Amino acid sequence: MEYQMIIGGEAITSKNFFEVKDPATGELVGKCPIAEKGDLDAAVEAARAAFPAWSGLPDEERQGLCHAIGQVIEDNAEDLAKLLTREHGKPLNGIGSRFEMQGCAGWSHYTAELKLPVEVLQDNEEGRVEMHRKPIGVVGSILPWNWPLLIAIWHILPALRAGNTVVMKPSSYTSLSTLKMVEVINTVLPKGVLNIVTGKGGLGAWMSEHPGIDKISFTGSTPTGQKIMNAASQTLKRLTLELGGNDAGIVLPDANPSEIAESLFWGAFINNGQTCAALKRLYVHDSIYDEVCEELTNFTKNIPVGNGLDENNIIGPVQNEMQYNIVRRLVDDAVSAGARVLVGADPVAGPGYFYPLTLLADVTDDMDVCREEQFGPVLPIMRYSDVEDALSRANDSEVGLGGSVWTNDKAKAAAIACRMECGSVWINSHGMIQPDVPFGGVKKSGLGVMFGIEGLKELTTVQSIYGL
Ligand code: NAD
């Protein structure tokens, strides 16, 4: 089946397509259109044309249409979930496609409810000063492949809620489900408010330079974020960059290994480890190291992995060959450098990019599996004996997205949490996010935040009005 782009509310085909394959079976899922520069220009033009009417709508009307997006996603959730599973590989069940669709609907309704009223900064005998929040214009949204539909919603909803219009570009690994979701959303929006173009190579770079795009919302890797920042400097686009991480967790000696094993597992292996704020480096105190390794191993061994369309599986394949090869290299290198395999590390030949859930003990910080963002089903477990040492090793990273502390002592947890160099810290869990709490990275993990009022403000410019 040939999919179509949506530009100015119309389904637009293209001369060329590329094939999208199911990462669990290698079967063809569909054909994705390849946009030419002219298609991007048309999408930007449509978004610019739609902007005056959309930004000029009474706030309650825009709010109602944002709720309508949530509703239409709910109405189509099961079909979208099935397509997402076939294209991405994540299971229908567990923390998979159905969960992702619920998140899309929930985030849409929550964001619809947000408001940015005029703030009165001064109102006295010297006059009244007001601060107004205005939409920026056309927002270019560039997406990764790991949570393709949820992150699309994280880009679309605050942009539209604040009165902007959008041109979206999904990852070439996961374009089909995003095309379908944007088609569904377009049934409740005025033409041109939300446009989508797809391609393989070059399209994101054109968007970053495009004079008709006023802001880029980007979620993806740090090197791509740096390229976008560079390209965007020519037109001084506003930027929100949600980039890579290499999150550390520190398990204190008082933690109970059997109580924390399940949460540690899901902190690391949610979405098969292909999550920006997944636990990617685990530091465990020497006194409970062996016990934590054993409890985690026992839990991991019982997780059903396989084709995500099978309702029994709760972990699927790695999403693509590039990521599969990265994971394989990092694990093989670590094992040859002395890491001990607790479980996994023994992939069998295809079909599908299935890599076993892998726990590595006795990993040292200089191994690439610890230094790089492995972004797959692997958790390296390191030993420490002094918590100050663990903290400095956790912070010894160029990126700073999330971190966690595992302990029953809340006071100790709080003292360590605020010394971790990252945007979010969790106590006794890892990676839990919610639509009312700002989320973003420090250091090379990004610029700006998403979610809640703070996230919504990023889709606006400030105008101060004096002397009213
Ligand atoms: P990626 O950087 O390879 O690609 C992301 C998007 O950028 C894709 O749509 C791609 O086509 C596009 N792109 C590629 N080159 C470009 C260029 N020069 N200019 C503009 N766009 C370009 O990332 P990925 O592999 O799709 O996603 C995984 C990465 O995303 C991981 O590093 C992960 O940590 C990060 N991520 C971060 C968050 C967060 O909230 N911080 C969330 C999810 C994923």
Side-chain angles (χ1 to χ4, degrees), residues 29-75:
V29 181
K31 293 185 176 179
C32 181
I34 300 179
E36 298 186 347
K37 257 191 178 160
D39 296 312
L40 174 62
D41 291 340
V44 173
E45 216 170 285
R48 295 211 81 80
F51 177 73
W54 179 253
S55 57
L57 278 183
D59 196 60
E60 293 68 32
E61 256 182 68
R62 251 197 329 270
Q63 180 175 55
L65 288 167
C66 289
H67 276 301
I69 294 175
Q71 185 60 51
V72 84
I73 288 173
E74 281 171 43
D75 297 344

Side-chain angles (χ1 to χ4, degrees), residues 143-146 169 204-205 218-221 224 242-244 276 373 375:
L143 297 167
W145 49 263
N146 59 334
K169 187 207 92 66
F218 173 73
T219 304
S221 66
T224 308
E242 298 289 347
L243 309 179
C276 53
E373 181 190 33
F375 216 62

Side-chain angles (χ1 to χ4, degrees), residues 142-146 151 154 169-172 204-205 208 218-222 224 227-228 242-245 275-276 280 322-323 373 375 401 439 445 450:
I142 305 179
L143 297 167
W145 49 263
N146 59 334
I151 297 175
W154 294 348
K169 187 207 92 66
S171 164
S172 55
S208 316
F218 173 73
T219 304
S221 66
T222 298
T224 308
K227 284 184 198 156
I228 290 173
E242 298 289 347
L243 309 179
T275 297
C276 53
K280 296 188 180 110
M322 176 262 313
Q323 200 59 46
E373 181 190 33
F375 216 62
L401 196 54
F439 175 78
S445 283
M450 294 187 291

